[in-house]
Amino acid sequence: MKFLADENADLQIVVALRNSGHRVEFIASDSPGIRDDQVLHKADKVQSIILAADKGFGDKIFRHRLASNGIINRGIK
């Protein structure tokens, strides 16, 4: 599976997924400081599931009815 980890995602999760053979791009190291809408666009472009530590992405996708390959978050506000 392909994942795009937001910069607030836990590095340990990113490492564990990579060690399990998954492709994980990490915003904190690849594109630090980009806006959430840019993260959503990038995830859609590369067909990745977003990993995040907040509910912001889910709210934006639901509210604006955006396309998504999925979001996994820890549920922190």
Side-chain angles (χ1 to χ4, degrees):
M1 295 186 103
K2 293 190 299 185
F3 296 95
L4 179 62
D6 188 37
E7 57 190 334
N8 65 11
D10 191 332
L11 178 60
Q12 291 177 334
I13 293 171
V14 171
V15 171
L17 286 168
R18 286 177 175 166
N19 288 341
S20 295
H22 298 285
R23 180 175 164 221
V24 184
E25 291 185 54
F26 194 20
I27 295 297
S29 60
D30 300 338
S31 307
I34 66 171
R35 298 181 321 265
D36 286 354
D37 61 322
Q38 293 172 302
V39 175
L40 287 168
H41 177 73
K42 184 172 184 171
D44 185 50
K45 183 178 176 182
V46 297
Q47 298 181 340
S48 295
I49 297 169
I50 295 174
L51 300 175
D54 61 48
K55 296 180 181 180
F57 290 105
D59 290 342
K60 284 184 182 195
I61 288 171
F62 179 75
R63 215 172 326 136
H64 300 287
R65 296 188 170 120
L66 302 173
S68 169
N69 292 297
I71 299 170
I72 299 172
N73 69 52
R74 293 190 331 217
I76 298 171
K77 291 185 178 188

